[in-house]
Amino acid sequence: MRYELPYARPGQVIGLLGGSFDPAHEGHVHITKMALKRFGLDRVWWLVSPGNPLKAEGPAPMERRLSHARQIMQHPRVEITDIEAHTGTRYTAATLRALKRLYPGVTFVWLMGADNLAQFHLWQDWREIMETTPVGVIARPGKRGAARNSVAAQSFAHAKLTPWSSRLLGRCGVPCWCFINVPMSDASSTEIRARGGWDRG
């Protein structure tokens, strides 16, 4: 199957939500819609990854995860992509470098749940990500305190936008990040797999 890169034009602000999406669920849909609204994004791309380098066990086949994600997330400003398979990158920092080369003039905003911010300092080149890419953090159940007190949050406290300035994310230079509280969904891919709702085979 021939791969086609998603379209973006210079000047756009595009949110990136990365993950294995194994499987995609309503929690992903919820934070995507909240990010579009609260961060003033033009579009959001889901980056369905070949695999998470921090996880020992591999996910379900890529085509199955992509197909399921497209069924779950149907929105005119959201695109489901396997762009990391195209760029050959496995780590977020390398993916961001590749995207910035491919799309000059486009501003990318990295999106993640508060649970990821809590352990963000374990990611490869995490400081580079914070210094070069706006980051939007969406609160998830039980992770607000750990996220706010995390190494990344403390290290970049000077670059934090207030929640009521969240729509400026992606339009005010870097480093810049914002933490928002939204009505939360506690859907979890791990729990869906545990109760037999998704077979990786």
Side-chain angles (χ1 to χ4, degrees):
M1 185 174 74
R2 193 169 76 83
Y3 185 88
E4 290 189 5
L5 290 170
Y7 172 76
R9 64 177 183 273
Q12 284 189 314
V13 179
I14 295 179
L16 302 173
L17 185 65
S20 58
F21 296 97
D22 188 33
H25 53 68
E26 287 303 320
H28 296 126
V29 174
H30 177 67
I31 65 172
T32 298
K33 290 179 177 178
M34 289 294 103
L36 277 166
K37 179 180 177 181
R38 294 288 299 277
F39 297 134
L41 305 172
D42 294 308
R43 300 183 67 79
V44 170
W45 296 351
W46 283 13
L47 308 184
V48 181
S49 66
N52 184 341
L54 296 179
K55 294 182 179 178
E57 187 179 350
M62 173 69 85
E63 284 305 318
R64 184 155 175 258
R65 288 182 287 132
L66 285 167
S67 175
H68 181 72
R70 289 178 178 130
Q71 291 172 23
I72 291 286
M73 180 77 254
Q74 297 186 24
H75 190 285
R77 291 195 288 136
V78 179
E79 187 142 9
I80 314 302
T81 83
D82 58 349
I83 203 165
E84 286 181 312
H86 172 80
T87 58
T89 53
R90 295 289 295 275
Y91 293 93
T92 299
T95 297
L96 289 168
R97 287 183 217 119
L99 285 172
K100 289 167 187 176
R101 286 193 300 269
L102 287 166
Y103 295 94
V106 173
T107 298
F108 291 105
V109 173
W110 186 257
L111 303 172
M112 60 183 169
D115 52 335
N116 279 321
L117 184 64
Q119 47 93 52
F120 193 52
H121 60 284
L122 302 177
W123 292 26
Q124 187 178 78
D125 298 326
W126 70 273
R127 288 184 178 275
E128 176 190 332
I129 297 170
M130 292 292 288
E131 287 165 356
T132 61
T133 307
V135 175
V137 184
I138 301 101
R140 291 190 64 190
K143 297 292 183 179
R144 289 173 173 159
R148 286 196 173 112
N149 295 318
S150 66
V151 173
Q154 298 299 318
S155 298
F156 286 87
H158 62 285
K160 186 180 180 184
L161 276 182
T162 59
W164 49 89
S165 300
S166 60
R167 291 183 67 85
L168 297 177
L169 189 67
R171 295 172 172 84
C172 60
V174 287
C176 184
W177 67 285
C178 188
F179 185 106
I180 59 170
N181 288 307
V182 299
M184 293 183 295
S185 166
D186 60 1
S188 158
S189 296
T190 303
E191 290 177 7
I192 291 169
R193 292 195 303 270
R195 65 173 184 260
W198 178 255
D199 180 9
R200 281 176 161 168

